[in-house]
Amino acid sequence: RKEVEQDPGPFNVPEGATVAFNCTYSNSASQSFFWYRQDCRKEPKLLMSVYSSGNEDGRFTAQLNRASQYISLLIRDSKLSDSATYLCVVKGSSNTGKLIFGQGTTLQVKP
Amino acid sequence: DAMVIQNPRYQVTQFGKPVTLSCSQTLNHNVMYWYQQKSSQAPKLLFHYYDKDFNNEADTPDNFQSRRPNTSFCFLDIRSPGLGDAAMYLCATSRDLGDNEKLFFGSGTQLSVL
């Protein structure tokens, strides 16, 4: 079983739609969680951290469910510019700095 | 201005010919990482430096080596590239190793092996 699992998609949605991605992780001791965005042939960029209480940044909402070991990302009012791959990232329990990336979920927003 | 700089953007090498990828940072971060990302796959950590301390991942092949001569620079050496080593190589930094430390990535070097 992969340490971080995501549905690779692609998710094809029209502009203005709401779309949600889930990610599951295997290590129950994981401490930190992030969503990164990666455009085609570019480097990953931090989209947002994920906090236990859930957090929102504009049209983006991230939630963490420790009991079920999954993280979600909700995008409201999708824009064409949201088209990208969204990487779920989990940090382990030890202070090693090791971030484990999921395969990514590809989103394609259509006009 | 770019804070984590990788050169070159594209690198072509021959099967078995040693190649070196470079990374520099202007952030004065303690930690520098090298990730390998193959097409449609997750970035995979090869190793990282905390200051001068080298930390190799258990499944990183011996073919991959790294050097960090000073805080600003870190190199990835592939001693004998195989066709399976063709990938995007991403350098990243973080200020420290705390739980909420964020990674700052360079733009990557796309390596082709002929």
Side-chain angles (χ1 to χ4, degrees):
Chain A
R1 181 187 174 188
K2 292 179 183 176
E3 293 181 85
V4 180
E5 291 205 65
Q6 295 180 252
D7 178 350
F11 285 59
N12 294 301
V13 303
E15 265 188 297
T18 295
V19 61
F21 309 135
N22 286 332
C23 163
T24 58
Y25 59 95
S26 61
N27 184 355
S28 60
S30 297
Q31 291 297 318
S32 304
F33 310 89
F34 309 89
W35 283 102
Y36 277 72
R37 171 191 169 133
Q38 187 172 27
D39 292 289
C40 189
R41 298 185 187 280
K42 298 284 183 67
E43 74 276 19
K45 292 184 178 177
L46 179 65
L47 179 65
M48 57 198 304
S49 302
V50 186
Y51 302 119
S52 297
S53 55
N55 48 301
E56 189 174 306
D57 182 2
R59 297 182 294 108
F60 298 84
T61 300
Q63 294 202 314
L64 167 64
N65 184 320
R66 284 191 185 272
S68 301
Q69 294 179 211
Y70 79 80
I71 308 144
S72 65
L73 177 67
L74 182 79
I75 305 175
R76 290 182 298 277
D77 188 22
S78 300
K79 312 291 185 191
L80 296 176
S81 58
D82 294 334
S83 299
T85 296
Y86 291 83
L87 300 165
C88 173
V89 184
V90 174
K91 185 170 181 181
S93 57
S94 62
N95 199 29
T96 63
K98 181 175 179 177
L99 293 182
I100 302 167
F101 284 78
Q103 178 186 5
T105 298
T106 298
L107 171 66
Q108 190 69 38
V109 182
K110 306 286 190 183
Chain B
D1 291 335
M3 296 177 288
V4 182
I5 302 161
Q6 290 189 245
N7 285 305
R9 184 72 178 87
Y10 298 94
Q11 176 74 55
V12 180
T13 191
Q14 292 178 331
F15 182 93
K17 185 175 181 181
V19 65
T20 295
L21 309 182
S22 70
C23 177
S24 63
Q25 54 133 340
T26 59
L27 297 163
N28 204 33
H29 281 178
N30 287 317
V31 194
M32 294 187 78
Y33 309 80
W34 279 104
Y35 283 85
Q36 179 195 63
Q37 187 177 24
K38 296 185 179 180
S39 181
S40 300
Q41 295 186 22
K44 178 180 177 300
L45 182 63
L46 296 173
F47 24 60
H48 76 274
Y49 273 95
Y50 182 86
D51 195 12
K52 296 179 182 179
D53 293 332
F54 177 70
N55 298 272
N56 197 32
E57 292 300 303
D59 56 354
T60 298
D62 292 341
N63 197 25
F64 292 87
Q65 303 287 321
S66 186
R67 296 169 283 135
R68 189 178 185 186
N70 54 53
T71 301
S72 301
F73 286 87
C74 194
F75 300 98
L76 170 62
D77 300 309
I78 308 177
R79 293 193 297 192
S80 181
L83 298 179
D85 296 328
M88 171 80 88
Y89 289 88
L90 294 159
C91 174
T93 72
S94 65
R95 187 178 55 87
D96 214 293
L97 292 173
D99 280 345
N100 293 309
E101 291 291 340
K102 300 174 179 58
L103 290 188
F104 294 79
F105 282 91
S107 56
T109 294
Q110 183 69 48
L111 178 69
S112 299
V113 182
L114 303 180

